Amino acid sequence: MLYYREEGRQSPQREREMEGASGISHRTVEVNGIRMHVVEKGEGPAVLLLHGFPELWYSWRHQIAGLAARGYRAIAPDLRGYGDTDAPPDVASYSALHIVGDLVALLDALALPHVFVVGHDWGALIAWYLCMFRPDKVKALVNLSVAFMPRNPAMKTVDYFRKLYGDDYYICRFQEPGAIEARFAQIGTASIFKTLLQSRDPGPFLIPKEGWDLPEKSPLCSWLSEEDINYYASKFDKSGFTGPVNYYRCMNLNWELTAPWTGVQIKVPAKFIVGDLDLTYHYPGIQDYIHNGGFKQNVPLLQEVVVMEGVGHFINQEKGHEITDHIYDFIQKF
């Protein structure tokens, strides 16, 4: 296990130079019955970058440029329901089988038999499912924030979180169709992003049924710009939050659908990175699981665990270049 302390930021000018925004291509690919927006940059071995909630391909902007500069082909889709990718209306269309099906179809459409995979948040969870269902498609995996947790046959996922944290826990609050979308609309999309992306509270994310106000943080932190906020807000104002929230509404369905994989191990070479201020690093028992053998038992080819000190949940944006270095250092071994 490695610990990394937060270092000083590079100058904005150097970051702009390193990001290399030019050369990014956008296209739409027909996959699994939907049209998927895909961003690419670079040539060489392919690296599939899977974003989380509430994010977009744009969350990987630092890694896209950095990996391309090091001789890799970075591929970052807007996942089903997000951004410029189609958002089917049926909640059940957002199961893990659908999302993994989209990715397998994307790789087939791009004529890629297998790729390196990097996931964050929901993208990390989907990456674990991809490794579970189709390990032949994954050369090696770098996952951020969300460790692999084996299916608990005794309790559905949402029921577990409700028992742990109560009805106000965000995953539980997200279950009622339309409710959280209405709350977000009242608050305003830009304010939602300014608050969520900058959150550094490692405690449970609770949303009271009444009187929930998000304290907007101003000025923005050093790694986030008004341009970034405006990009997210413009896309979510257009496509809405329903598709992204439907991933949470399928959590119990995923529990049912994945019953045949109860007890399965993830047998793909893997590296895991998390910030010590990430709420996912403070679930009851999670640090013992990650560091004292449980994680390694379920992911026997887990080679590295990195804890970044002073870093929050949106780690690939907050520590963009450091995360690119970690990804490169791992995948260049294969």
Side-chain angles (χ1 to χ4, degrees):
M1 177 183 65
L2 301 175
Y3 281 88
Y4 284 80
R5 293 190 181 277
E6 184 174 10
E7 302 294 340
R9 284 275 296 178
Q10 299 175 26
S11 70
Q13 177 60 34
R14 186 177 179 211
E15 290 191 347
R16 285 194 293 270
E17 291 171 355
M18 292 180 68
E19 284 170 19
S22 62
I24 288 179
S25 67
H26 297 253
R27 63 163 146 168
T28 299
V29 183
E30 300 277 346
V31 300
N32 197 24
I34 65 170
R35 293 167 298 173
M36 173 173 277
H37 172 235
V38 181
V39 168
E40 295 185 59
K41 183 181 174 70
E43 297 180 356
V47 184
L48 181 64
L49 303 163
L50 306 177
H51 68 78
F53 174 92
E55 300 178 87
L56 300 163
W57 72 267
Y58 187 80
S59 305
W60 299 108
R61 57 197 178 279
H62 306 296
Q63 290 75 36
I64 291 169
L67 291 170
R70 299 184 194 201
Y72 289 87
R73 178 185 177 187
I75 303 169
D78 284 338
L79 296 178
R80 173 182 291 236
Y82 284 86
D84 293 321
T85 292
D86 285 350
D90 185 7
V91 172
S93 295
Y94 292 83
S95 76
L97 292 177
H98 286 84
I99 312 303
V100 171
D102 296 343
L103 299 177
V104 171
L106 174 62
L107 298 184
D108 289 345
L110 300 180
L112 295 170
H114 48 252
V115 295
F116 296 111
V117 177
V118 183
H120 170 252
D121 187 77
W122 260 104
L125 187 56
I126 294 301
W128 292 124
Y129 280 129
L130 175 62
C131 293
M132 183 188 296
F133 302 152
R134 294 297 304 271
D136 58 303
K137 294 292 185 181
V138 184
K139 291 182 184 178
L141 171 70
V142 179
N143 256 351
L144 315 178
S145 296
V146 178
F148 175 74
M149 297 298 293
R151 179 181 182 273
N152 176 5
M155 184 174 293
K156 294 182 178 181
T157 309
V158 176
D159 299 346
Y160 166 78
F161 283 113
R162 182 173 285 112
K163 180 179 179 181
L164 200 61
Y165 297 122
D167 290 335
D168 285 350
Y169 192 57
Y170 78 104
I171 288 175
C172 304
R173 194 61 70 200
F174 281 6
Q175 297 304 308
E176 182 182 348
I180 197 64
E181 293 94 322
R183 299 284 287 279
F184 283 172
Q186 290 174 346
I187 294 168
T189 308
S191 293
I192 292 292
F193 280 99
K194 285 182 179 180
T195 302
L196 295 185
L197 293 181
Q198 297 183 95
S199 174
R200 303 179 72 77
D201 182 357
F205 179 25
L206 303 178
I207 303 177
K209 189 171 184 179
E210 303 293 342
W212 180 56
D213 294 312
L214 290 180
E216 186 174 307
K217 295 187 177 182
S218 182
L220 293 176
C221 59
S222 60
W223 53 269
L224 198 60
S225 71
E226 289 290 345
E227 182 181 6
D228 298 332
I229 295 296
N230 291 339
Y231 186 84
Y232 284 116
S234 69
K235 294 300 181 181
F236 276 77
D237 280 339
K238 177 183 175 183
S239 60
F241 280 91
T242 297
V245 173
N246 281 345
Y247 284 62
Y248 295 92
R249 293 170 181 151
C250 278
M251 292 180 88
N252 279 352
L253 176 60
N254 289 337
W255 180 87
E256 296 174 8
L257 294 173
T258 56
W261 288 273
T262 300
V264 74
Q265 292 178 311
I266 302 298
K267 295 185 177 180
V268 169
K271 177 175 183 174
F272 179 71
I273 309 171
V274 66
D276 69 347
L277 297 179
D278 194 325
L279 76 168
T280 66
Y281 191 58
H282 293 268
Y283 292 147
I286 190 67
Q287 294 182 29
D288 179 70
Y289 169 78
I290 289 173
H291 300 301
N292 292 324
F295 194 11
K296 178 73 171 178
Q297 181 177 351
N298 291 315
V299 187
L301 300 182
L302 178 67
Q303 297 185 17
E304 297 180 54
V305 171
V306 176
V307 179
M308 300 185 74
E309 294 188 4
V311 181
H313 180 66
F314 296 95
I315 190 168
N316 51 327
Q317 298 185 73
E318 180 178 350
K319 307 299 289 183
H321 302 302
E322 292 88 337
I323 292 298
T324 302
D325 289 342
H326 277 300
I327 294 168
Y328 172 75
D329 290 345
F330 187 64
I331 66 176
Q332 58 88 26
K333 299 176 184 179
F334 299 91

